[in-house]
Amino acid sequence: MKNRIIFTFIIIYLSSITCTVAKTSSLRLNYITDDSLKYTFSSASSLFIKSPEKFKQADNAVNIRLKANKIWIIFPAKDIPVNGILLVKNSFLDHIKAHFIRNNKLIESKESGSILPFSYRDQPANFPNFFIPKNTELICLEIQTSGPMKVPIEIYSEKEFITDIQQNISLHFLYIGLIVLTVTLAIASYAWLKESLFLQYALSISATGFITLLNFGYAFQYFWPETPSINQYSFIFYILTIFNFLFIEKLLFLKKHSLWLFFTFRIFYVVNIVSFTFNAFFNTTFLNEIVFAVFCIGTLLPLFAGVYLLKKLRKIEKHTIGFFLTGSISFFMGILVYVITMNGIIPLNVITDNSIQIGSAIEIIFFNLAILSRLKLFKLEKDSIVIEQKHFLETEVMSRTLELREKNILIELKNKELEEQQEQLEKIVEKRTSQLIKLNKDLNDRNFRLEQFANITAHNLRGPIATLLGLCELFNESTPSDPLNAKVIYNIKESSVKVDGILKDLASLLDHHRNTDAMMEKVKFEKVCLEVLDLLENEIKTSGAVVSYDFTETAFTPAIPSYLKNIFFNLVLNSIKYCRRHCIPTVNIKSYTEGDYHFIEFRDNGIGVDLALYKEKIFQPYQRFHLEIPGKGLGLFITKTQIESMGGKISIESEIGKGTSFTVALPASIAAEYKEELSLKENN
């Protein structure tokens, strides 16, 4: 049955070619070669009129392959329809110049070809074309190309031209549609089976489709119409044919069945790439002949591989090879007809000019059948593997089941032992965890107090110490009886008392071994405020600051006294330090209660802070936003840390040039376990 199918295709193919040979010509062309570039259109047309015998003749097409790079084709414009169109059916001709002559005078000249933009064509068709002016008597075509000189010429009326173009487009895009369908099926098969053969087949067919678009000028028309320079290197696209050979290599398992054939294919890949690349950049007659030879060898190589392997493979694989050979023979016959046509043995017409595409279409059909055969092979191999694996698994499962039963008994015994050990370990772990949590809490609390000690020492002692140093400078050592000395000594005593108070607070902080809740006391806002104002007496006098406070709404709050004093100290001092020039600093302090929190608000009329830039950094350590004013950038960080340690929070509102407002929120109640202790402190 398979042989009958092959024979039928061959008969149909040969019959179509025979029919085309029998057709008569309708256009007699006269041509002369001009590699020496000695003719112009006027001299060529004059020569034709005076000595037509010097011109060779051809019907419908001039086909001299690589015998000349430039020719002149001249023919009378007889019986040309009104609004006639001249079509040159070769998309690879570099430059075509059409001269239209009447009474031995030039009417019009037009240009087209692959080196000129697509827009030079009179009609948007895939092949070069020209409108023929009215009353044209003689048409002279000046054609130059670096490749094969194949010039099929047709003359149509406008209606015939549109019909012919539509028929050609339909034929070509039917072929492209077949390719798209095949590629889609191949990709779907790859997605389903994860077999690389189908992906390689998709690439192979895609490469064939693109080269078809290139051969018939559709690539130029649709992909790079205004970039004709790409056409000069179009031969490099023929390297894509390697995908066809990679697919054939995979389909025939060349590496498995014949190593020497496998390496022959690899050598051919190198020759293919080198020849097409050189021809793309160094287009010469010699290179064109080499490329033509490589093309022919490339057609014979898969055919030879299929015949060689036919006897070596299994029966089911022979079906695959049979379909493959049928497709390869069809493609080879298409190439053969094209080669014979290029050498002038068979006339150039629609069938012979498209013989490669016809052979390729038949090849694709049989290659699809070969793929289906390979799918059947995959299924048989898969079923065989599944049966073997099933038998192996059944045996393995029986063996494993017996082993598991024995091991399950041992596991149950071990599990009982582990459960007992786990209970003991959980008790030990729970006890150790409790101890570690307590130790960790004690360490964190101790570290926190040490950190606060360092911070408070650095900030709160600075003012009194500076006062003491200043008073020492004022003391008159040379005259002890100086009345000023008594006042200095009095002030030294006052400052020393302040330092002593701070040190007592710090000592209390270090000696306290409970968490911050245990250090809480009921603190009076006014008392803390007055102590801080006393500490900042010099700064207030020097700056002329006006500090007012209102604690009538909320007078007390649970807090750590030393922390609260430090919070007041830092926020009031900042308001004085960051005041506006030529403006008396004012600080307004107010307390109130909302919900579960006592709030203390510190509002000033200072220089303000750009919160759009610094809001995220305002409470971070070592952040300074006014470098002209001395400081270390720790005050607000310490303040926030102490507020949060008491369960509170702090927020800021500020506007540059108008002032800043800090709002401190402290919990209105403390933990129940420390309420009793707090009440005892109040009673004492």
Side-chain angles (χ1 to χ4, degrees), residues 57-94:
Q57 292 184 336
D59 291 330
N60 291 327
V62 174
N63 182 16
I64 58 174
R65 280 193 73 236
L66 301 169
K67 296 178 182 178
N69 292 325
K70 181 177 180 180
I71 64 170
W72 294 85
I73 300 176
I74 302 176
F75 56 93
K78 294 179 180 178
D79 301 323
I80 291 177
V82 179
N83 297 326
I85 297 174
L86 186 150
L87 181 69
V88 181
K89 290 188 172 182
N90 185 348
S91 60
F92 290 106
L93 296 174
D94 294 344

Side-chain angles (χ1 to χ4, degrees), residues 47-64:
L47 179 64
F48 174 72
I49 293 169
K50 294 176 182 177
S51 306
E53 69 277 1
K54 292 186 177 181
F55 285 73
K56 296 180 182 179
Q57 292 184 336
D59 291 330
N60 291 327
V62 174
N63 182 16
I64 58 174

Side-chain angles (χ1 to χ4, degrees), residues 456 500-510 531 561-562 565:
I456 293 172
D500 183 59
I502 293 169
L503 291 175
K504 284 179 180 177
D505 288 340
L506 293 172
S508 174
L509 180 65
L510 287 176
E531 288 176 359
S562 58
K565 186 185 294 184

Side-chain angles (χ1 to χ4, degrees), residues 172-317:
H172 295 151
F173 279 88
L174 181 64
Y175 173 69
I176 294 298
L178 176 64
I179 286 177
V180 171
L181 177 63
T182 303
V183 169
T184 304
L185 291 173
I187 292 173
S189 299
Y190 172 73
W192 176 40
L193 297 171
K194 302 301 180 186
E195 171 57 49
S196 61
L197 172 69
F198 299 103
L199 185 60
Q200 289 180 345
Y201 185 46
L203 291 172
S204 169
I205 298 300
S206 299
T208 301
F210 181 78
I211 290 171
T212 300
L213 293 175
L214 187 69
N215 286 341
F216 285 93
Y218 294 113
F220 181 32
Q221 181 177 359
Y222 294 112
F223 298 155
W224 54 84
E226 299 305 317
T227 314
S229 56
I230 296 176
N231 293 327
Q232 302 305 301
Y233 307 100
S234 59
F235 263 99
I236 204 164
F237 291 117
Y238 283 87
I239 294 174
L240 294 174
T241 55
I242 286 177
F243 286 119
N244 298 95
F245 292 95
L246 288 170
F247 160 68
I248 292 166
E249 178 187 311
K250 182 77 173 178
L251 179 70
L252 300 181
F253 289 120
L254 288 186
K255 193 172 183 179
K256 174 184 176 182
H257 295 134
S258 177
L259 272 177
W260 73 268
L261 262 179
F262 173 76
F263 286 113
T264 302
F265 268 64
R266 292 302 164 115
I267 293 169
F268 179 75
Y269 299 158
V270 176
V271 174
N272 185 299
I273 292 170
V274 171
S275 61
F276 281 120
T277 303
F278 269 85
N279 193 57
F281 292 96
F282 311 100
N283 201 329
T284 65
T285 302
F286 176 69
L287 285 174
N288 269 291
E289 293 288 3
I290 291 177
V291 166
F292 191 72
V294 169
F295 193 68
C296 293
I297 292 169
T299 307
L300 288 170
L301 193 58
L303 190 62
F304 174 77
V307 172
Y308 177 78
L309 294 175
L310 190 60
K311 295 181 179 180
K312 296 183 64 175
L313 305 180
R314 293 176 296 170
K315 183 177 180 180
I316 187 158
E317 289 181 328

